[in-house]
Coordinates of all heavy atoms in Angstrom, one line a residue:
Y273 N 116.9 202.7 107.1 CA 116.1 203.8 107.5 C 116.7 205.2 107.1 O 115.9 206.1 106.9 CB 115.7 203.8 109.0 CG 115.2 202.4 109.4 CD1 115.9 201.7 110.3 CD2 114.1 201.9 108.9 CE1 115.5 200.4 110.7 CE2 113.6 200.7 109.2 CZ 114.3 199.9 110.2 OH 113.9 198.7 110.5
L274 N 118.0 205.2 106.9 CA 118.7 206.4 106.5 C 118.7 206.6 105.0 O 118.9 207.7 104.6 CB 120.1 206.4 107.1 CG 120.2 206.3 108.6 CD1 121.6 206.0 109.1 CD2 119.8 207.6 109.3
F275 N 118.7 205.5 104.3 CA 118.9 205.6 102.8 C 117.7 205.1 102.0 O 117.7 205.3 100.8 CB 120.1 204.8 102.4 CG 121.4 205.4 102.9 CD1 122.0 205.0 104.2 CD2 122.0 206.4 102.2 CE1 123.1 205.6 104.6 CE2 123.2 207.0 102.7 CZ 123.8 206.6 103.9
L276 N 116.8 204.3 102.6 CA 115.7 203.7 101.8 C 114.4 204.3 102.4 O 114.4 205.0 103.4 CB 115.7 202.2 101.9 CG 116.9 201.5 101.5 CD1 116.8 200.0 101.7 CD2 117.2 201.8 100.0
S277 N 113.3 204.0 101.7 CA 112.0 204.6 102.2 C 110.8 203.8 101.7 O 111.0 202.8 101.0 CB 111.8 206.1 101.7 OG 111.6 206.1 100.3
T278 N 109.6 204.2 102.0 CA 108.4 203.5 101.5 C 108.4 203.5 100.0 O 107.7 202.7 99.4 CB 107.1 204.2 102.0 OG1 107.2 205.6 101.8 CG2 107.0 203.9 103.5
D279 N 109.1 204.4 99.3 CA 109.2 204.3 97.8 C 109.7 202.9 97.4 O 109.2 202.4 96.4 CB 110.1 205.4 97.3 CG 109.7 206.8 97.5 OD1 108.5 207.0 97.9 OD2 110.4 207.7 97.3
N280 N 110.6 202.3 98.1 CA 111.1 201.0 97.8 C 110.0 199.9 98.0 O 109.9 199.0 97.2 CB 112.3 200.7 98.6 CG 113.5 201.7 98.4 OD1 113.6 202.6 99.1 ND2 114.2 201.5 97.3
L297 N 110.3 200.4 106.6 CA 110.8 201.6 106.0 C 109.7 202.7 106.1 O 108.5 202.3 106.1 CB 111.1 201.4 104.5 CG 112.2 200.3 104.3 CD1 112.5 200.2 102.8 CD2 113.4 200.6 105.1
R298 N 110.1 203.9 106.3 CA 109.2 205.0 106.5 C 109.2 206.0 105.3 O 110.2 205.9 104.5 CB 109.6 205.8 107.8 CG 109.6 204.9 109.0 CD 108.2 204.4 109.4 NE 108.2 203.7 110.6 CZ 107.2 203.0 111.1 NH1 106.1 202.8 110.3 NH2 107.2 202.3 112.3
P299 N 108.3 206.9 105.2 CA 108.4 207.9 104.2 C 109.7 208.7 104.3 O 110.2 208.9 105.4 CB 107.1 208.8 104.5 CG 106.1 207.9 105.1 CD 107.0 206.9 105.9
R300 N 110.2 209.2 103.2 CA 111.5 209.8 103.1 C 111.7 210.9 104.1 O 112.8 211.2 104.6 CB 111.8 210.3 101.7 CG 113.2 210.6 101.4 CD 113.4 210.8 99.9 NE 113.1 209.6 99.1 CZ 113.9 208.6 98.9 NH1 115.1 208.6 99.5 NH2 113.6 207.5 98.2
E301 N 110.6 211.6 104.5 CA 110.8 212.8 105.4 C 111.3 212.4 106.8 O 111.7 213.3 107.5 CB 109.5 213.6 105.4 CG 108.3 212.8 105.8 CD 107.4 212.4 104.6 OE1 108.0 212.2 103.5 OE2 106.2 212.2 104.7
H302 N 111.2 211.2 107.1 CA 111.7 210.7 108.5 C 113.2 210.7 108.5 O 113.8 210.7 109.6 CB 111.1 209.4 108.8 CG 109.7 209.4 109.2 ND1 109.2 209.5 110.5 CD2 108.5 209.3 108.4 CE1 107.9 209.5 110.5 NE2 107.5 209.4 109.2
Q303 N 113.8 210.6 107.4 CA 115.3 210.5 107.4 C 116.0 211.7 108.0 O 117.0 211.5 108.7 CB 115.8 210.3 105.9 CG 115.4 209.0 105.3 CD 115.7 208.9 103.9 OE1 116.3 209.8 103.3 NE2 115.4 207.7 103.3
A304 N 115.5 212.9 107.8 CA 116.1 214.1 108.4 C 116.2 214.0 109.9 O 117.2 214.3 110.6 CB 115.4 215.3 108.0
A305 N 115.1 213.5 110.5 CA 115.1 213.3 112.0 C 116.1 212.3 112.5 O 116.7 212.5 113.6 CB 113.7 213.0 112.5
L306 N 116.2 211.2 111.7 CA 117.2 210.2 112.1 C 118.6 210.7 112.0 O 119.4 210.5 113.0 CB 117.1 209.0 111.2 CG 115.7 208.2 111.3 CD1 115.6 207.1 110.3 CD2 115.4 207.7 112.7

Side-chain angles (χ1 to χ4, degrees):
Y273 308 116
L274 298 167
F275 291 94
L276 304 174
S277 73
T278 49
D279 294 349
N280 299 98
L297 302 183
R298 302 297 185 189
R300 195 170 297 278
E301 52 264 29
H302 287 267
Q303 292 174 357
L306 298 174

